Amino acid sequence: MRRPTLLSGLDLLAPKLPGDASLLALPPPVRPLPNPEAAVRAAIDHPVAGRPLAERVTARSKVLIVVEHPAHLVPAGELRPLRLALHAVLDVLKARGLPLRAVKILVACGLEHRPAMTELAPALGLEVTGGYEVDIFDAEAHRAFRDQPDGANGAQELAQALAEADLIVDLSVRTHAPRPPLANLVEGLATYRALRPLHRPEQNPEPIALQRAKALAAELPIFSVALVQSEAVLSAAAQGLLGTSDGLSASARAWNRMPQLMRRRAAALFRSAAAPGAVFAGDPLAAESQADDAVRAATRVPHGPPVDILVIGVPDLSPDAPDARPNPVLTAHLGLVTLLGQVRHRLRDGGAVVLATPLGDQFNRVQHLPYVEFYERALRVAPRGIDLSQRFEFDFSGRPELVAAYQKRGAVHGAHPFHRWYAQERARAGLRVFAAGAGAAAAQRVGFEPAATVEAGLEQARDVLGLAQPQVGVLDVLGLAR
């Protein structure tokens, strides 16, 4: 196998691997739609299940359009899928005679940071943010909620606006992985109190989320529009620059020589080759199920022989860090939940993972404010999820200064780091994880074993597993093998 190119933080690496190592590549990216605007309009007019959007509203209807947080779409492509879908929906509503005052747009933030209008305008369009009522969800505005059924003879606290609308249009984009249907509503418009049962350390939240989604689909008038975004990170030109030699190309070496600050700015402005590849609309369970099937097929490495050790390069660019400044907790989540999830079925139980990452600890102390204390104090005292849940989560979720930072200063909710930590803890259960290129203190704080290089991490993993010639696999995150 040729030496693969890995993106470790903001550094490009070409580690030496065993000769029989396997390059585990994702399927070819979903082919971009030649005319995505026309495809969205066609899907709205000819849904996979239920009546078309135009038949669900009249000139007297009140419509709530729920859009997901634009930061989820990182790295962003040249096309704005949320804007495409939103404009297509608004055109239908205009044609049906609905006045602007009858349409409300609600950004489903959940516990993510609440974006400013300057962040929303590029994603949704100035003509939308300047003409329609646009509201940004607040999980702490408890007077603005109403109980909805949760499918288990209980209730989930969701945004009051859901109960006030004659029709709810749910706009979502699938890109990195499948997710339960109506996630914008179940997680994006829920109070922290309603979300906590979904994010316990010891349980998989997906069955509960699916149960809640089914209850909402039966209770509320919902029309879903779900786009599938291609996973193509690099353009063909960029792939050629990185993939033309056995080892680092001249372009890759030049990138590594650039100052770190310059690379960070370039990464924050980077536009991927991702583009809408499919769109499904109609009754939510049917439309979103088909979208998930499509993204599952595009974001899972094909089945094949299992490996003992898996190498994954973890970039400093993720949906949780759109400004390209992650921290060790978010890097662990990106590597072990998002990226490992694409290839976990190819790793033997009890195997090892080598994450190529520097685990940089330059925290964004505005947007990721709760992570600073979570990393520096909570993880030091009680690294196990169950202990963190019992000792610290309630304090972080209700502390006045963290609540104020979430509501008014663009920080994530105080419970955000806990839920990310629980997810990565479940993902790595039974595995040994090595952090190649990371400092010992940062690696040990998040429960990894430090290694100086990828090659050193492979040696340590081999010794830990007790295998003379383990089978090694490398996840092709950059798509250079496609």
Side-chain angles (χ1 to χ4, degrees):
M1 181 186 75
R2 344 177 11 260
R3 290 169 62 181
T5 301
L6 305 178
L7 185 55
S8 170
L10 294 175
D11 294 325
L12 290 164
L13 308 177
K16 295 180 180 179
L17 303 174
D20 61 348
S22 304
L23 190 61
L24 306 178
L26 296 173
V30 177
R31 181 172 296 181
L33 293 166
N35 189 335
E37 292 186 22
V40 173
R41 294 175 193 278
I44 290 173
D45 291 338
H46 305 283
V48 299
R51 294 177 297 151
L53 176 60
E55 295 181 9
R56 299 179 185 232
V57 294
T58 69
R60 300 175 64 86
S61 298
K62 294 176 61 177
V63 177
L64 175 70
I65 303 176
V66 180
V67 299
E68 69 177 282
H69 199 307
H72 293 169
L73 307 178
V74 170
E78 293 296 336
L79 293 176
R80 305 280 184 171
L82 284 177
R83 181 189 292 186
L84 287 174
L86 181 57
H87 286 202
V89 169
L90 292 174
D91 284 348
V92 172
L93 301 182
K94 290 177 186 176
R96 296 293 290 167
L98 272 76
L100 269 63
R101 65 178 182 276
V103 180
K104 179 177 180 179
I105 299 167
L106 182 57
V107 181
C109 301
L111 304 185
E112 306 284 352
H113 82 279
R114 302 179 68 239
M117 282 299 169
T118 52
E119 185 178 346
L120 289 179
L124 304 184
L126 283 171
E127 64 275 26
V128 172
T129 56
Y132 289 87
E133 179 186 357
V134 180
D135 199 4
I136 301 167
F137 175 78
D138 182 351
E140 291 293 331
H142 293 285
R143 293 182 179 178
F145 295 99
R146 177 178 291 184
D147 286 345
Q148 296 287 349
D150 67 358
N153 298 319
Q156 50 181 323
E157 280 184 329
L158 301 181
Q160 170 81 18
L162 293 173
E164 298 171 346
D166 299 311
L167 179 69
I168 300 157
V169 181
D170 179 27
L171 302 186
S172 62
V173 181
R174 282 9 184 225
T175 178
H176 303 293
R179 59 183 184 181
L182 294 178
N184 280 349
L185 278 59
V186 172
E187 294 214 41
L189 300 182
T191 64
Y192 165 67
R193 183 165 57 188
L195 282 173
R196 194 161 190 268
L198 289 172
H199 295 283
R200 293 190 177 122
E202 68 280 2
Q203 73 179 23
N204 179 359
E206 290 189 6
I208 299 177
L210 178 58
Q211 171 185 286
R212 292 185 172 190
K214 289 180 177 179
L216 291 182
E219 180 76 12
L220 298 174
I222 304 172
F223 184 86
S224 286
V225 181
L227 284 81
V228 176
Q229 180 96 322
S230 164
E231 271 279 277
V233 175
L234 300 179
S235 65
Q239 287 183 340
L241 290 172
L242 295 180
T244 56
S245 62
D246 189 11
L248 289 183
S249 66
S251 301
R253 293 193 297 272
W255 168 265
N256 286 343
R257 288 194 296 269
M258 290 171 59
Q260 185 77 0
L261 180 58
M262 186 179 298
R263 281 186 280 165
R264 191 173 300 284
R265 288 176 177 171
L269 297 173
F270 173 72
R271 287 292 174 263
S272 74
V279 57
F280 304 90
D283 292 342
L285 298 183
E288 298 195 29
S289 175
Q290 291 196 25
D292 280 338
D293 288 344
V295 79
R296 186 178 291 107
T299 60
R300 292 291 182 271
V301 169
H303 286 277
V307 300
D308 303 299
I309 304 172
L310 184 62
V311 179
I312 301 175
V314 186
D316 271 9
L317 189 64
S318 80
D320 283 317
D323 64 350
R325 290 185 60 192
N327 59 63
V329 178
L330 291 175
T331 298
H333 183 272
L334 175 62
L336 295 176
V337 177
T338 304
L339 298 179
L340 178 59
Q342 298 178 337
V343 71
R344 179 67 176 84
H345 55 283
R346 294 288 297 273
L347 180 63
R348 294 185 190 277
D349 291 338
V353 180
V354 178
L355 298 179
T357 170
L359 280 180
D361 58 358
Q362 294 182 335
F363 289 79
N364 182 327
R365 292 178 179 264
V366 176
Q367 185 171 317
H368 296 149
L369 178 64
Y371 280 86
V372 179
E373 185 178 350
F374 180 85
Y375 176 79
E376 294 178 351
R377 182 169 74 95
L379 283 184
R380 187 193 301 271
V381 175
R384 292 174 61 239
I386 189 67
D387 297 327
L388 288 166
S389 175
Q390 293 172 352
R391 296 184 60 176
F392 293 103
E393 185 179 338
F394 278 118
D395 172 41
F396 275 58
S397 64
R399 196 185 305 168
E401 62 267 28
L402 294 182
V403 172
Y406 163 75
Q407 290 186 304
K408 301 176 181 179
R409 294 194 291 277
V412 298
H413 193 276
H416 195 275
F418 294 86
H419 296 179
R420 289 293 185 265
W421 183 261
Y422 304 155
Q424 68 83 31
E425 188 178 66
R426 290 191 298 269
R428 71 178 179 184
L431 303 176
R432 298 292 290 269
V433 182
F434 299 83
Q444 291 166 358
R445 181 67 55 84
V446 296
F448 297 167
E449 300 176 48
T453 63
V454 171
E455 294 87 344
L458 288 172
E459 288 295 320
Q460 292 172 226
R462 186 190 66 181
D463 293 342
V464 165
L465 297 180
L467 299 174
Q469 292 183 314
Q471 183 60 47
V472 175
V474 184
L475 179 61
D476 182 27
V477 174
L478 296 178
L480 297 177
R482 289 169 175 159

